[in-house]
Amino acid sequence: QVQLVQSGDEVKKPGASVKVSCKASGYIFTSYGISWVRQAPGQGLEWMGWINAYNGNTNYAQELQGRVTMTTDTSTSTAYMDLRSLRSDDTALYYCARVNYDILTGYCKYPDYWGQGTLVTVSS
Amino acid sequence: AIRMTQSPSSFSASTGDRVTITCRASQGVSSYLAWYQQKPGKAPKLLIYAASTLQSGVPSRFSGSGSGTDFTLTISCLQSEDFATYYCQQYYSYPLTFGGGTKVEIK
């Protein structure tokens, strides 16, 4: 069965960086992409971007451009999300999710399977 | 960015009720619309994609309709396990955007 297992919760100081991992199993990793979505405490869902696990192409939310990097390691079927220059408003539950993409256009579609979430707390 | 607006933001209902949640896009998204259910402390669960296609394993009491800018999620006979928050999401254009959520509470 499809599973996405994320790394453990993190506490970081403002200005620091965090790297969250997402290990996939139960499907062919390079046939899909990985999207990252975050949820601030008590708030809704915010799409951060995605990476095509086949060719490494990425698309990031504009407000995170320059601070976020998404990568994959196909040898271990693991995706990573690196967020730099952390601020207090980056405090959130971070989810990875498997996504289909359009073969012809390369466009990301909807997430279908989700990880359990990683809480990142940014506090001085 | 395309703005997704859900209504209502919350409401109370009873087991057995038929409930409808609305999602409106600020511009047309064709049928590139998904619905998710989220329970407290859990990751979202995909219910419907392509506006009306039921994800495998999702009960048939859930249904979706609409295209363009106006969409609905209907639960035909609310069950106790359906009390949760529901989100719509467009995947027509980047950035992908979610609605603000609709919380369905027990009356």
Side-chain angles (χ1 to χ4, degrees):
Chain A
Q1 74 282 21
V2 175
Q3 274 196 305
L4 298 170
V5 179
Q6 298 182 223
S7 49
D9 296 345
E10 303 262 12
V11 179
K12 297 291 183 181
K13 293 193 182 303
S17 298
V18 69
K19 192 168 188 174
V20 180
S21 68
C22 170
K23 184 169 177 58
S25 60
Y27 71 96
I28 299 173
F29 185 67
T30 52
S31 293
Y32 294 83
I34 294 288
S35 188
W36 292 87
V37 175
R38 67 181 180 178
Q39 187 170 36
Q43 301 302 307
L45 303 169
E46 178 189 6
W47 184 77
M48 300 177 67
W50 82 292
I51 180 166
N52 183 321
Y54 176 73
N55 58 22
N57 288 347
T58 56
N59 190 288
Y60 302 138
Q62 188 169 11
E63 60 267 29
L64 295 174
Q65 289 272 6
R67 289 207 299 138
V68 69
T69 303
M70 297 175 188
T71 57
T72 58
D73 180 344
T74 57
S75 68
T76 60
S77 299
T78 302
Y80 299 92
M81 187 281 299
D82 188 7
L83 188 60
R84 303 175 290 280
S85 302
L86 289 168
R87 310 187 293 241
S88 58
D89 62 358
D90 290 319
T91 293
L93 195 53
Y94 287 75
Y95 293 104
C96 65
R98 189 183 80 163
V99 289
N100 284 285
Y101 59 91
D102 188 295
I103 296 294
L104 294 178
T105 65
Y107 231 73
C108 175
K109 294 185 178 181
Y110 50 88
D112 57 1
Y113 289 91
W114 296 63
Q116 83 277 17
T118 296
L119 180 63
V120 175
T121 303
V122 183
S123 173
S124 55
Chain B
I2 297 175
R3 181 174 176 83
M4 308 299 292
T5 303
Q6 288 183 233
S7 60
S9 56
S10 67
F11 67 95
S12 299
S14 300
T15 304
D17 284 352
R18 178 183 180 90
V19 302
T20 298
I21 297 168
T22 297
C23 175
R24 175 164 288 175
S26 61
Q27 63 189 76
V29 299
S30 186
S31 295
Y32 295 94
L33 193 285
W35 288 97
Y36 299 88
Q37 176 194 67
Q38 187 179 33
K39 296 181 179 179
K42 298 293 187 182
K45 173 187 174 184
L46 176 67
L47 300 175
I48 287 168
Y49 60 93
S52 60
T53 303
L54 205 62
Q55 172 71 347
S56 176
V58 173
S60 59
R61 63 180 180 272
F62 291 92
S63 63
S65 65
S67 67
T69 60
D70 295 308
F71 301 87
T72 58
L73 172 69
T74 299
I75 310 172
S76 60
C77 182
L78 200 64
Q79 302 298 301
S80 58
E81 60 267 32
D82 301 336
F83 291 97
T85 300
Y86 294 84
Y87 294 94
C88 61
Q89 182 208 14
Q90 66 81 19
Y91 50 98
Y92 179 77
S93 70
Y94 295 135
L96 306 193
T97 45
F98 291 89
T102 296
K103 187 174 184 179
V104 180
E105 298 175 298
I106 300 173
K107 185 181 285 184

